[in-house]
Structures are given as structure tokens and as C-alpha cells.
Amino acid sequence: MKILILGAGKMGSFFTDLLSFDHEVAVYDIDARRMRFLYNTQRLTTLDEIREFRPELVINAVSLKYTLDVFRQVIPYLPEHCILSDISSVKTDFHEFYEQSGFRYVSTHPMFGPTFANLGKLSNENAIIINEGDYMGRCFFKDLYARLGLNIFEYTFEEHDKTVAYSLSIPFISTFAFAAVMKHQDAPGTTFKRHMKIAQGVLSEDDTLLREILFNPYTKEQVEQIRTEMKELIAIIDTKDEQRMQRYLTKIRANIR
């Protein structure tokens, strides 16, 4: 298959490495320097080169902020049989865009990134495939993710965004809170050091990705829930109510079983 990957960032490069030995792959990025370490692939920097390549599948791996705009730029240069796809972490407005585009489409989300995941061993990682797209497109990604050993789940666009708001925004927000009150520790404990490592990893992510997760329309509800729990915990601390503290610990331990 002739596959065009839009964007030569971390995930774009990952998909290029993954697909380039089994398919004819080209990468499009307006910054040629970002493609200098890619191999076994064509490097495209102009839209006319996309027209000449005539891809059968496009994987849009640019930042969410630019995903739909880049689709709009390249669509006039794509053959009508081409399948559009994205790997975005938030899918707001994507369903409507795809339906109006006139192209077949498939939307997925690998629920891992280069920061924490071991890209050589992904059997403990997950991937979501949106079940509201082209059947053959879904089959392609289902087979690809299965070969990587990923755990595959199928959701609607709305179900995906709700899941991401819960599974990503809560740890991100918790990390932000930890980092916001950070003070230098000469002799940090084990728990502190583990939290510090997580915080350093999360905050090393691209700012655009962090905004994507936090600006998910379903994230606010999760933040408000955390705020409610913090109010309860502060009240317990203020009153030094041991019985209430015990009930609270019992509740949260049950949550993580």
C-alpha cells in the first residue's frame, strides 16, 4: 500500500519506521530538517509531490491544533479513493469533518507515547479504534496494532473523548498540582522520587499535547471532581477526624483494586 504520513514528529517517525519495510511510505513535512534521519521512505516538502505520490492511505500525525487544517490543505491533492486517518488524542469535530470531506476515513488513538512507553515492547499498552469509519481502514489498523501486541478497544468518537478525559487528564492534572507546589529536597524519599520522575516525564511532553488533553471538552468535569475530593480531604485534615479519615482511605483503596 502507498501510505503518506503527515508530520515527521515523534509519532510520525514511529509510524514511518513501523510501516516503511512493508509498504511504500512517504512523509510530508514543510520542515525538511525534521526528516533528515528518516530512512527507507520518500521525503516530501510540497503539495505537488503529494499529488504525484498518489497515496492510498494518509496518516495525519501532526499536532491536534493543526490536524484538520493540514487535512484541508492536502485533500485537493489526494486521489478520491484515498483513506484519511488520524491518531489524535482528542477527536472533537473530527466526525463532522470526516463526514463532510467525501473521503473514506478511519480514526485511531495509540494510547502511548515515546516518553513512557517501551516502543520495542508494547504488549502492556492500549490502542483505540473509532468504530465509525471505513471498514477496510479499521481492519488495517486493527491488524497493525495486533501485530504490535497492543490491547485494542473500539469506541465511538464521543466515547473516545470521554475515556481520554478520564485516563489522561486526571494523571496530568495530578502531576501539575505536584509540580506547582514543588520545593527542592536534599533528601527526598522513595515516593517523592517516583512522583518526580513521572512529573519530569509528563512535563517533557510537547506543550501542544498537554493543551490538547486539558482542553478536551470532557476534562473540566474531571478537574471539578478532583477539586471536590480535595475539599473533603482538607476538611478531614482540619478536624483531625480519625474515623472519617479511615472511611476515606477505605474508599480510595477500593477504587484502585
Side-chain angles (χ1 to χ4, degrees), residues 7-247:
K10 292 178 180 178
M11 292 305 290
S13 298
F14 171 73
F15 274 92
T16 301
D17 292 343
L18 184 64
L19 296 168
S20 62
F21 286 97
D22 297 314
H23 302 275
E24 186 178 350
V25 174
V27 179
Y28 171 74
D29 198 300
I30 58 175
D31 185 354
R33 294 172 298 180
R34 289 163 58 88
M35 299 186 286
R36 62 187 183 277
F37 297 121
L38 299 179
Y39 58 93
N40 202 41
T41 186
Q42 296 184 44
R43 300 173 178 83
L44 312 182
T45 57
T46 68
L47 294 170
D48 284 332
E49 289 175 306
I50 292 177
R51 191 199 305 275
E52 294 173 7
F53 182 66
R54 295 185 59 81
E56 300 167 80
L57 171 68
V58 171
I59 300 176
N60 194 331
V62 304
S63 299
L64 175 64
K65 180 179 179 180
Y66 304 106
T67 302
L68 296 184
D69 286 340
V70 170
F71 266 143
R72 294 185 182 100
Q73 291 173 21
V74 304
I75 277 178
Y77 299 85
L78 300 177
E80 61 182 20
H81 66 271
C82 185
I83 300 175
L84 305 180
S85 75
D86 73 273
I87 55 171
S88 297
S89 53
V90 181
K91 309 290 187 183
T92 307
D93 298 329
F94 277 50
H95 192 194
E96 181 180 5
F97 168 81
Y98 279 133
E99 290 295 329
Q100 293 177 354
S101 73
F103 282 79
R104 298 154 62 198
Y105 66 88
V106 56
S107 185
T108 77
H109 182 194
M111 297 286 285
F112 58 88
T115 300
F116 289 118
N118 178 357
L119 298 183
K121 185 180 180 182
L122 295 171
S123 58
N124 293 325
E125 305 294 343
N126 304 315
I128 294 174
I129 297 177
I130 303 301
N131 57 20
E132 302 173 75
D134 180 76
Y135 174 75
M136 294 305 296
R138 297 201 311 271
C139 287
F140 174 85
F141 280 98
K142 188 176 293 186
D143 177 68
L144 177 65
Y145 292 155
R147 285 192 284 115
L148 290 173
L150 293 167
N151 303 297
I152 302 169
F153 300 87
E154 295 194 47
Y155 296 141
T156 64
F157 281 100
E158 182 178 14
E159 289 169 341
H160 167 271
D161 279 5
K162 288 182 177 180
T163 297
V164 169
Y166 177 78
S167 65
L168 292 183
S169 65
I170 287 179
F172 276 29
I173 292 161
S174 301
T175 296
F176 287 4
F178 174 79
V181 299
M182 179 61 55
K183 294 181 180 179
H184 174 72
Q185 298 292 313
D186 291 323
T190 301
T191 302
F192 183 94
K193 288 189 288 186
R194 288 180 178 176
H195 277 279
M196 175 65 84
K197 186 174 182 180
I198 292 173
Q200 290 169 338
V202 169
L203 293 172
S204 71
E205 294 283 8
D206 182 77
D207 287 357
T208 302
L209 172 64
L210 300 178
R211 287 196 299 269
E212 289 174 10
I213 302 304
L214 271 296
F215 290 170
N216 182 328
Y218 298 101
T219 292
K220 181 182 177 182
E221 179 182 346
Q222 304 300 331
V223 178
E224 290 174 342
Q225 187 173 346
I226 291 174
R227 181 169 59 184
T228 299
E229 292 297 322
M230 290 299 99
K231 286 182 178 180
E232 180 178 356
L233 189 56
I234 289 170
I236 294 172
I237 293 170
D238 281 343
T239 58
K240 295 182 172 60
D241 187 329
E242 294 185 6
Q243 291 184 342
R244 189 178 175 187
M245 185 75 241
Q246 191 58 53
R247 290 195 298 270

